[in-house]
Amino acid sequence: MSVTREPGLRVPAWVHDVVASVLIVAFNAAVVAFRPGEISPAWVVATSAPAALMFVRRRYPRTVLAAVIVFSVVATLLPPSGAGTIVAPAFALFSTASVVPRWRGWMLTAGCAVVLAVAVSVGQDVSFGAALAQSGLVCGIAMALADAARTRRAYTDELRLRALRAEQTREAEAARAVAEDRLRIARDLHDSVAHRISVMSLSAGVASSTLESNPQAAQEALSTIRSASRAVLTDIGALLGSLREQTVVGLASLDELVGDFATAGLEVDVRVDGDVAALPAPVDVLAYRVVQEGLTNAMKHGDGDARLGITVTPEQVRVEVRNRVGRTAPTHTSVGASYGLLGMRERVDEAGGVLEAGRVGDEHALSVRVPLAAQVRA
């Protein structure tokens, strides 16, 4: 998983360590050059050891700080002492203060400044106040730089964390979009194909029951099955094409839809009030799917006829399908019908509409109201 990186070149840590060691050695060399005198081996060791410790100060910051303070105090008390002994503690303090809490860093800064001031005032002819001002200034600068480094590091970590969360959110949104597309495809497949399969099933039953007694009726039923199967393949191809081209059906294809049901044996009385051509595309598609589902259920569970009413007003579109309930499924509780109505109810809910379905006397009524301001996926 990719994470946003801080812009700019990142200098390797060992380069910083080399620079720190060189500066410490350079300051010590300056002390020797400007304060000639006896140089003891102990002073050489005390001033050289901190330079070597710079390479492990990140792994053991507190230990290195304590060791560098000890070496610096020893070097300050030995001839020839000088300002060079304050450089190593500054680097060690920076490394420690950048990884400890701020209040603890300032406590370490104050402690180091006092210890070094005492050593300078004892080892050199300098007052404690002047020595404290010198060591306090150097240690304070080291602490301030460490605090700035800590703040920058925290800011960079926060940016990386935000980038990681943003990427995770994008992946979650993408997964949700995929799930919604799969659900939409399943609904479209059901709406486009279910009524054709119902026609084929009913026609197959007719052909089976009249094959010997009425060959002509059986032949007509088989012809209907052939036509319905071709229509199924056409619907599936149109569905795939709509997925590629994002084209959708609507109430402009209402006559063709009603004609298909009439061919299958369902007489539909259609009444349309209002201008269906003025419907927004998402609402138009939803209304078409409601008609398709309602007439499919009427054909499967009714007695051969249905009434379809579509009313368009400036505020909403209303679709109502009514049919007398046949003896095969008087309550519309079959699995296919329940799944179809469930999917249709989900679509209507997404559009902010209302779906009502149930028995009204000896009829089954499916009524859907969808506001024209609905924003649904086509």
Side-chain angles (χ1 to χ4, degrees):
M1 182 177 297
S2 60
V3 179
T4 302
R5 295 186 179 274
E6 184 181 359
L9 296 177
R10 185 178 181 87
V11 180
W14 64 268
V15 174
H16 296 278
D17 299 335
V18 170
V19 172
S21 299
V22 170
L23 289 176
I24 293 172
V25 173
F27 271 83
N28 292 334
V31 171
V32 174
F34 289 100
R35 293 195 179 186
E38 182 182 357
I39 300 177
S40 63
W43 185 88
V44 175
V45 173
T47 55
S48 301
L53 291 175
M54 291 298 103
F55 293 94
V56 294
R57 61 194 173 104
R58 289 183 177 81
R59 180 173 298 182
Y60 310 106
R62 298 171 181 82
T63 303
V64 169
L65 176 61
V68 168
I69 292 295
V70 172
F71 284 123
S72 297
V73 170
V74 172
T76 303
L77 298 176
L78 295 174
S81 61
T85 56
I86 198 65
V87 177
F91 281 111
L93 179 61
F94 172 85
S95 299
T96 304
S98 62
V99 297
V100 300
R102 182 176 286 108
W103 65 271
R104 185 172 297 177
W106 283 112
M107 289 183 62
L108 289 174
T109 300
C112 291
V114 171
V115 171
L116 293 174
V118 171
V120 170
S121 64
V122 172
Q124 304 178 33
D125 188 14
V126 179
S127 65
F128 176 75
L132 183 61
Q134 176 189 5
S135 61
L137 177 62
V138 175
C139 292
I141 292 176
M143 174 60 198
L145 293 175
D147 190 61
R150 181 197 300 107
T151 302
R152 179 176 176 81
R153 185 169 59 248
Y155 175 73
T156 302
D157 292 342
E158 179 65 21
L159 288 181
R160 292 178 179 176
L161 181 60
R162 289 182 181 180
L164 179 61
R165 290 175 177 172
E167 187 163 349
Q168 292 174 343
T169 301
R170 287 194 297 269
E171 292 177 354
E173 288 295 325
R176 184 180 63 83
V178 169
E180 290 181 353
D181 282 341
R182 289 176 177 174
L183 180 59
R184 177 177 62 86
I185 292 172
R187 289 171 177 172
D188 287 342
L189 186 61
H190 174 274
D191 294 341
S192 299
V193 178
H195 76 281
R196 308 284 189 186
I197 301 298
S198 299
V199 170
M200 294 170 64
S201 177
L202 294 175
S203 299
V206 172
S208 177
S209 61
T210 60
L211 185 59
E212 297 182 356
S213 60
N214 192 346
Q216 181 63 29
Q219 183 65 31
E220 292 176 357
L222 292 175
S223 178
T224 301
I225 293 175
R226 185 183 302 109
S227 300
S229 62
R230 291 175 179 173
V232 167
L233 295 177
T234 301
D235 287 346
I236 293 177
L239 176 60
L240 295 177
S242 68
L243 293 177
R244 293 189 182 97
E245 302 174 6
Q246 297 298 317
T247 58
V248 293
V249 295
L251 292 179
S253 305
L254 180 62
D255 292 339
E256 180 182 354
L257 179 65
V258 173
D260 290 342
F261 281 103
T263 302
L266 179 67
E267 297 296 330
V268 184
D269 180 18
V270 181
R271 178 178 56 83
V272 178
D273 295 328
D275 185 11
V276 296
L279 290 175
V283 180
D284 188 22
V285 174
L286 180 57
Y288 179 88
R289 296 304 187 192
V290 170
V291 172
Q292 193 175 52
E293 178 66 22
L295 294 182
T296 298
N297 289 337
M299 182 182 64
K300 291 168 62 177
H301 308 299
D303 62 354
D305 61 358
R307 300 195 307 277
L308 168 63
I310 301 175
T311 304
V312 179
T313 67
E315 295 80 21
Q316 67 177 8
V317 58
R318 177 171 181 172
V319 178
E320 186 177 42
V321 179
R322 286 177 174 264
N323 64 276
R324 286 193 297 272
V325 179
R327 290 177 296 178
T328 57
T331 59
H332 277 64
T333 57
S334 68
V335 174
S338 63
Y339 277 130
L341 288 177
L342 177 61
M344 192 57 57
R345 189 180 299 277
E346 291 174 351
R347 283 193 173 194
V348 173
D349 289 343
E350 290 176 0
V354 178
L355 184 148
E356 298 175 347
R359 288 284 293 269
V360 179
D362 62 345
E363 290 185 334
H364 183 273
L366 171 65
S367 176
V368 173
R369 299 189 304 275
V370 181
L372 297 189
Q375 297 296 323
V376 296
R377 299 180 59 180

